[in-house]
Amino acid sequence: MALNRVRTALLALVAGLALVASPACAGSIRIKDLVSFDGVRGNDLVGHGLVVGLNGTGDGLRNAPFTEEIMTNILERLGVNVSGEQFRPRNVAAVLVTGVLPPFARAGSRIDVTVSAIGDAKSLQGGTLIMTPLNAADGQIYAVAQGTILAGGAAAEGDAARVVQGVPTAGIIPAGARVEREVDFDFAALDTLRLALRDPDFTTAMRIESAINAAYGRPVARMLDAGTVRIDLATARAPSPAHVIGQVENLRVAPEARARVVVDQASGTIVMGADVRISRVAVSQGNLTLRINETPAVVQPNPFAEGETIVVPRTDVGIEEEPGIGLAEIAEGTSLSDVVSGLNALGVSPRDMIDILKTVKAAGALHADLEVR
């Protein structure tokens, strides 16, 4: 009996915990996934260099003279004098190297880089990037890249045909760059910390403010606008801004967003939010097809008769109307998902469905932002 009472108590405790945890987890997102913290960002890096070791798929130096210039400079720095020499290797290629210096990266750490051909090289597979300095927007060198390139595409050719799969003229070097200089930013000296919402919204910003103040038990955060929430680090009384971020970023908030419909015309994809609504509206749709066929006829003179051969034009023109959607009425407050489901059941093509959505939006009955790509 005692064992049964303990088991019952444990089951009740687990059920109570589930009831307490479910509202916090349902529809709630961590603050770190909704905002970016002021000063915590990466820096773009770029540099130009040379890839060697290609199997005859490098730049044609006649079409890319800058490749020869880069190669000459590298060899001269290595003590090889090539002034006035005429060489046309096909195993080298000029490239641009790009990467992102992550926040708080320290000297000696490694980052990934992307290598892209800038000449007429056909493939970078199997190539090796020679030591390439990477500069930031201020012109300073922050990293140096070198290593073997991993290209994702493939190319093959013969005398009369060539086939390419993927992009063999671009690739990556995992951990291919070593950080040589750190960004001068005293993060610990900040007095205030700003949270920038990735999707500005007044309701979401207010909920973030309320969640942070509730966690600290005092007014620490303040909403400045739809995209910014400021935290007073003195009021938070934390050892450093890093401690504040560690305490705040895992708080959960239910975000709000504007009703939006995104349409991809290329693939016929339609993505919509749950809050999209349609007012009372009537829809009628049909297709008209204009058909023009040209079948010219050749008329020749009789044998041994004077005359010339002429071409007589013959044109067949017609208009066909395909059956479409008759006059249909949509009730007030109907969700767009119900409308799309009904159109799918009627066999409406994605192209026609996109046209219907555009027309309903133009009529003012679609209460959402319609984004067509």
Side-chain angles (χ1 to χ4, degrees):
M1 296 295 295
L3 182 60
N4 290 333
R5 286 196 298 270
V6 172
R7 183 180 301 171
T8 303
L10 289 176
L11 291 176
L13 178 61
V14 171
L17 290 176
L19 291 175
V20 172
S22 58
C25 298
S28 60
I29 308 297
R30 296 178 302 178
I31 290 181
K32 68 192 306 181
D33 299 323
L34 297 174
V35 306
S36 58
F37 297 94
D38 188 16
V40 184
R41 65 175 185 87
N43 292 274
D44 295 326
L45 304 177
V46 65
H48 69 276
L50 192 71
V51 173
V52 299
L54 301 175
N55 187 19
T57 59
D59 290 338
L61 299 187
R62 295 183 184 274
N63 300 327
F66 45 83
T67 304
E68 183 177 359
E69 182 179 352
I70 297 174
M71 183 171 57
T72 301
N73 293 336
I74 291 177
L75 292 177
E76 288 182 351
R77 287 202 305 266
L78 296 176
V80 180
N81 186 10
V82 293
S83 300
E85 298 290 339
Q86 295 292 331
F87 47 91
R88 294 287 187 268
R90 292 287 299 178
N91 61 345
V92 296
V95 294
L96 283 179
V97 184
T98 58
V100 177
L101 185 67
F104 311 119
R106 301 307 176 192
S109 59
R110 288 186 169 273
I111 59 176
D112 300 340
V113 293
T114 302
V115 183
S116 305
I118 58 177
D120 58 353
K122 297 178 181 178
S123 177
L124 297 180
Q125 287 185 337
T128 301
L129 176 69
I130 301 300
M131 185 172 61
T132 302
L134 301 181
N135 304 79
D138 58 359
Q140 301 292 328
I141 297 175
Y142 285 86
V144 175
Q146 182 171 276
T148 303
I149 300 172
L150 301 180
E157 64 177 331
D159 294 335
R162 184 169 185 261
V163 61
V164 178
Q165 182 179 2
V167 185
T169 54
I172 64 171
I173 305 178
R178 181 180 287 108
V179 178
E180 301 292 344
R181 183 195 298 266
E182 300 177 3
V183 177
D184 295 331
F185 178 65
D186 191 0
F187 184 71
L190 293 177
D191 296 329
T192 60
L193 186 64
R194 294 192 305 174
L195 281 61
L197 276 71
R198 296 189 177 96
D199 296 317
D201 183 82
F202 284 104
T203 304
T204 304
M206 183 178 63
R207 290 177 181 177
I208 291 176
E209 175 192 48
S210 301
I212 295 175
N213 292 336
Y216 279 90
R218 54 185 180 275
V220 174
R222 181 183 179 186
M223 179 182 66
L224 301 182
D225 50 49
T228 309
V229 177
R230 185 179 64 189
I231 299 178
D232 188 358
L233 298 179
T235 307
R237 296 194 291 270
S240 68
H243 286 80
V244 175
I245 292 180
Q247 296 169 357
V248 165
E249 65 180 0
N250 289 318
L251 298 177
R252 291 187 172 270
V253 172
E256 284 288 338
R258 293 177 59 89
R260 181 177 301 175
V261 180
V262 181
V263 175
D264 187 352
Q265 294 189 109
S267 61
T269 303
I270 301 174
V271 180
M272 69 202 75
D275 297 329
V276 178
R277 291 293 181 270
I278 294 181
S279 298
R280 190 180 189 89
V281 66
V283 177
S284 178
Q285 185 266 346
N287 291 328
L288 288 177
T289 302
L290 179 63
R291 177 177 50 81
I292 301 177
N293 292 328
E294 292 285 354
T295 56
V298 178
V299 178
Q300 295 181 348
N302 295 325
F304 306 106
E306 294 183 359
E308 60 181 1
T309 301
I310 62 174
V311 178
V312 179
R314 291 182 180 177
T315 303
D316 182 16
V317 180
I319 297 179
E320 298 177 358
E321 183 174 3
E322 299 177 2
I325 302 175
L327 187 62
E329 187 174 355
I330 301 175
E332 180 77 23
T334 303
S335 66
L336 183 59
S337 59
D338 295 336
V339 175
V340 173
S341 298
L343 294 176
N344 284 329
L346 294 174
V348 178
S349 66
R351 305 291 180 186
D352 294 336
M353 196 178 304
I354 292 173
D355 292 337
I356 292 173
L357 292 178
K358 290 180 182 179
T359 308
V360 172
K361 176 63 177 178
L366 177 60
H367 303 291
D369 294 335
L370 180 60
E371 181 178 346
V372 181
R373 298 183 177 180

Coordinates of all heavy atoms in Angstrom, one line a residue, residues 182-218:
E182 N 42.9 40.4 -33.3 CA 41.6 40.4 -32.6 C 40.9 41.8 -32.8 O 41.6 42.8 -33.0 CB 41.7 40.1 -31.1 CG 42.3 38.7 -30.8 CD 42.6 38.5 -29.4 OE1 42.2 39.4 -28.6 OE2 43.1 37.5 -29.0
V183 N 39.6 41.8 -32.8 CA 38.8 43.0 -33.0 C 38.9 43.8 -31.6 O 38.6 43.2 -30.6 CB 37.4 42.7 -33.4 CG1 36.6 44.0 -33.5 CG2 37.4 42.0 -34.7
D184 N 39.2 45.0 -31.7 CA 39.3 45.9 -30.5 C 37.9 46.3 -30.1 O 37.3 47.2 -30.6 CB 40.2 47.1 -30.8 CG 41.6 46.8 -31.1 OD1 42.1 45.7 -30.6 OD2 42.3 47.5 -31.9
F185 N 37.4 45.6 -29.1 CA 36.1 45.9 -28.6 C 36.0 45.5 -27.1 O 36.1 44.3 -26.8 CB 35.0 45.2 -29.4 CG 33.6 45.4 -28.9 CD1 33.0 46.7 -28.9 CD2 32.8 44.4 -28.4 CE1 31.7 46.9 -28.5 CE2 31.5 44.6 -27.9 CZ 31.0 45.9 -28.0
D186 N 35.8 46.4 -26.2 CA 35.8 46.2 -24.8 C 34.3 45.9 -24.4 O 33.6 46.8 -24.0 CB 36.4 47.3 -24.0 CG 36.6 47.0 -22.6 OD1 36.3 45.8 -22.2 OD2 37.1 47.8 -21.8
F187 N 33.9 44.7 -24.5 CA 32.6 44.3 -24.3 C 32.2 44.5 -22.8 O 31.1 44.8 -22.4 CB 32.3 42.9 -24.7 CG 30.9 42.4 -24.6 CD1 29.9 42.9 -25.4 CD2 30.5 41.5 -23.6 CE1 28.6 42.5 -25.3 CE2 29.2 41.1 -23.5 CZ 28.2 41.6 -24.3
A188 N 33.2 44.2 -21.9 CA 32.9 44.3 -20.5 C 32.7 45.7 -20.0 O 32.2 45.9 -18.9 CB 34.1 43.7 -19.7
A189 N 33.1 46.7 -20.8 CA 32.9 48.1 -20.4 C 31.6 48.7 -20.7 O 31.3 49.9 -20.4 CB 34.0 49.0 -21.0
L190 N 30.7 48.0 -21.3 CA 29.3 48.5 -21.6 C 28.5 48.8 -20.4 O 28.5 48.1 -19.4 CB 28.6 47.5 -22.5 CG 29.2 47.2 -23.9 CD1 28.3 46.2 -24.6 CD2 29.2 48.5 -24.7
D191 N 27.8 50.0 -20.5 CA 26.9 50.3 -19.4 C 25.4 49.9 -19.7 O 24.7 49.6 -18.7 CB 26.9 51.9 -19.2 CG 28.3 52.4 -18.7 OD1 28.9 51.6 -18.0 OD2 28.6 53.5 -19.1
T192 N 25.1 49.8 -20.9 CA 23.8 49.3 -21.3 C 23.9 48.3 -22.4 O 24.9 48.3 -23.2 CB 22.9 50.5 -21.8 OG1 23.5 51.1 -23.0 CG2 22.7 51.5 -20.8
L193 N 23.0 47.4 -22.5 CA 23.0 46.4 -23.5 C 21.7 46.5 -24.3 O 20.6 46.5 -23.8 CB 23.1 45.0 -22.9 CG 23.3 43.8 -23.8 CD1 24.6 43.9 -24.5 CD2 23.2 42.5 -23.0
R194 N 21.8 46.6 -25.7 CA 20.7 46.7 -26.5 C 20.4 45.4 -27.2 O 21.3 44.7 -27.7 CB 20.8 47.8 -27.5 CG 20.9 49.2 -26.9 CD 20.8 50.3 -28.0 NE 21.8 50.1 -29.0 CZ 21.8 50.9 -30.1 NH1 20.9 51.8 -30.3 NH2 22.8 50.7 -31.0
L195 N 19.1 45.0 -27.3 CA 18.7 43.8 -28.0 C 17.9 44.3 -29.2 O 16.9 45.0 -29.1 CB 17.7 43.0 -27.1 CG 18.4 42.1 -26.0 CD1 19.1 42.9 -25.0 CD2 17.3 41.3 -25.3
A196 N 18.4 43.9 -30.4 CA 17.8 44.2 -31.7 C 17.0 43.1 -32.2 O 17.5 42.0 -32.5 CB 18.9 44.6 -32.7
L197 N 15.7 43.3 -32.3 CA 14.8 42.2 -32.8 C 15.1 42.0 -34.3 O 15.2 42.9 -35.1 CB 13.3 42.6 -32.6 CG 12.7 42.3 -31.2 CD1 13.3 43.2 -30.2 CD2 11.2 42.4 -31.3
R198 N 15.2 40.7 -34.7 CA 15.3 40.4 -36.1 C 14.1 40.7 -36.9 O 14.2 41.1 -38.1 CB 15.7 38.9 -36.2 CG 17.0 38.5 -35.6 CD 17.4 37.1 -35.9 NE 18.7 36.8 -35.3 CZ 18.9 36.2 -34.2 NH1 17.9 35.8 -33.5 NH2 20.2 35.9 -33.7
D199 N 12.9 40.6 -36.3 CA 11.7 41.0 -37.0 C 11.0 42.0 -36.0 O 10.3 41.6 -35.1 CB 10.7 39.7 -37.2 CG 11.4 38.8 -38.2 OD1 11.9 39.2 -39.2 OD2 11.3 37.5 -38.0
P200 N 11.2 43.3 -36.3 CA 10.6 44.3 -35.4 C 9.1 44.1 -35.2 O 8.4 44.0 -36.2 CB 11.0 45.6 -36.0 CG 12.2 45.3 -36.9 CD 12.0 43.9 -37.4
D201 N 8.7 44.2 -34.0 CA 7.3 44.1 -33.6 C 7.1 44.6 -32.2 O 7.8 44.2 -31.3 CB 6.8 42.6 -33.7 CG 5.3 42.5 -33.5 OD1 4.5 42.7 -34.4 OD2 4.9 42.2 -32.3
F202 N 6.1 45.5 -32.1 CA 5.9 46.2 -30.8 C 5.5 45.2 -29.7 O 5.9 45.2 -28.6 CB 4.9 47.3 -30.9 CG 5.4 48.5 -31.6 CD1 5.0 48.8 -32.9 CD2 6.2 49.4 -30.9 CE1 5.5 50.0 -33.5 CE2 6.7 50.6 -31.5 CZ 6.4 50.8 -32.8
T203 N 4.6 44.2 -30.1 CA 4.1 43.3 -29.1 C 5.2 42.3 -28.7 O 5.4 42.1 -27.5 CB 3.0 42.4 -29.7 OG1 1.9 43.3 -30.2 CG2 2.4 41.5 -28.7
T204 N 6.0 41.9 -29.6 CA 7.1 41.0 -29.2 C 8.1 41.7 -28.3 O 8.6 41.2 -27.4 CB 7.8 40.5 -30.5 OG1 6.9 39.8 -31.3 CG2 8.9 39.5 -30.1
A205 N 8.4 43.0 -28.7 CA 9.4 43.8 -27.9 C 8.8 44.0 -26.5 O 9.6 43.9 -25.5 CB 9.7 45.1 -28.5
M206 N 7.5 44.2 -26.3 CA 6.9 44.4 -25.0 C 7.0 43.1 -24.2 O 7.2 43.1 -23.0 CB 5.5 44.9 -25.2 CG 4.8 45.2 -23.8 SD 3.1 45.8 -24.1 CE 2.4 44.4 -24.9
R207 N 6.8 42.0 -24.9 CA 6.8 40.7 -24.2 C 8.3 40.4 -23.7 O 8.5 39.8 -22.6 CB 6.3 39.6 -25.0 CG 4.8 39.7 -25.3 CD 4.3 38.6 -26.2 NE 2.8 38.7 -26.4 CZ 2.1 38.0 -27.3 NH1 2.8 37.0 -28.0 NH2 0.8 38.1 -27.4
I208 N 9.2 40.7 -24.5 CA 10.6 40.5 -24.1 C 11.0 41.4 -22.9 O 11.6 40.9 -21.9 CB 11.6 40.9 -25.3 CG1 11.4 39.8 -26.4 CG2 13.0 40.9 -24.8 CD1 12.2 40.1 -27.6
E209 N 10.5 42.6 -22.9 CA 10.7 43.5 -21.8 C 10.1 42.9 -20.5 O 10.7 42.9 -19.4 CB 10.1 44.9 -22.1 CG 10.2 45.9 -20.9 CD 9.3 47.1 -21.2 OE1 8.1 46.9 -21.6 OE2 9.8 48.2 -20.9
S210 N 8.9 42.5 -20.6 CA 8.2 41.9 -19.5 C 8.8 40.6 -19.0 O 9.0 40.4 -17.7 CB 6.7 41.6 -19.8 OG 6.0 42.8 -20.3
A211 N 9.3 39.8 -19.9 CA 10.0 38.5 -19.5 C 11.3 38.8 -18.7 O 11.6 38.2 -17.7 CB 10.2 37.7 -20.7
I212 N 12.1 39.8 -19.2 CA 13.3 40.1 -18.5 C 13.1 40.7 -17.2 O 13.7 40.4 -16.2 CB 14.2 41.0 -19.4 CG1 14.6 40.3 -20.7 CG2 15.4 41.5 -18.7 CD1 15.3 41.2 -21.7
N213 N 12.1 41.7 -17.1 CA 11.8 42.3 -15.8 C 11.3 41.3 -14.8 O 11.6 41.4 -13.6 CB 10.9 43.5 -16.0 CG 11.5 44.6 -16.8 OD1 12.7 44.8 -16.7 ND2 10.7 45.4 -17.4
A214 N 10.5 40.3 -15.3 CA 9.9 39.3 -14.4 C 11.0 38.4 -13.9 O 11.0 38.0 -12.7 CB 8.8 38.5 -15.1
A215 N 12.0 38.1 -14.7 CA 13.1 37.2 -14.3 C 14.0 37.9 -13.2 O 14.5 37.2 -12.3 CB 14.0 36.8 -15.5
Y216 N 14.2 39.2 -13.3 CA 15.0 39.9 -12.4 C 14.2 40.5 -11.2 O 14.8 40.8 -10.1 CB 15.8 41.1 -13.0 CG 17.0 40.7 -13.8 CD1 17.0 40.3 -15.1 CD2 18.2 40.6 -13.1 CE1 18.1 40.0 -15.8 CE2 19.4 40.3 -13.8 CZ 19.3 39.9 -15.1 OH 20.5 39.5 -15.8
G217 N 12.9 40.5 -11.3 CA 12.1 41.0 -10.2 C 12.1 42.5 -10.1 O 11.7 43.1 -9.0
R218 N 12.7 43.3 -11.0 CA 12.7 44.7 -11.0 C 12.8 45.2 -12.4 O 13.2 44.5 -13.3 CB 13.9 45.2 -10.1 CG 15.3 44.6 -10.5 CD 16.4 45.0 -9.6 NE 17.6 44.4 -10.0 CZ 18.1 43.2 -9.6 NH1 17.3 42.5 -8.9 NH2 19.2 42.8 -10.0

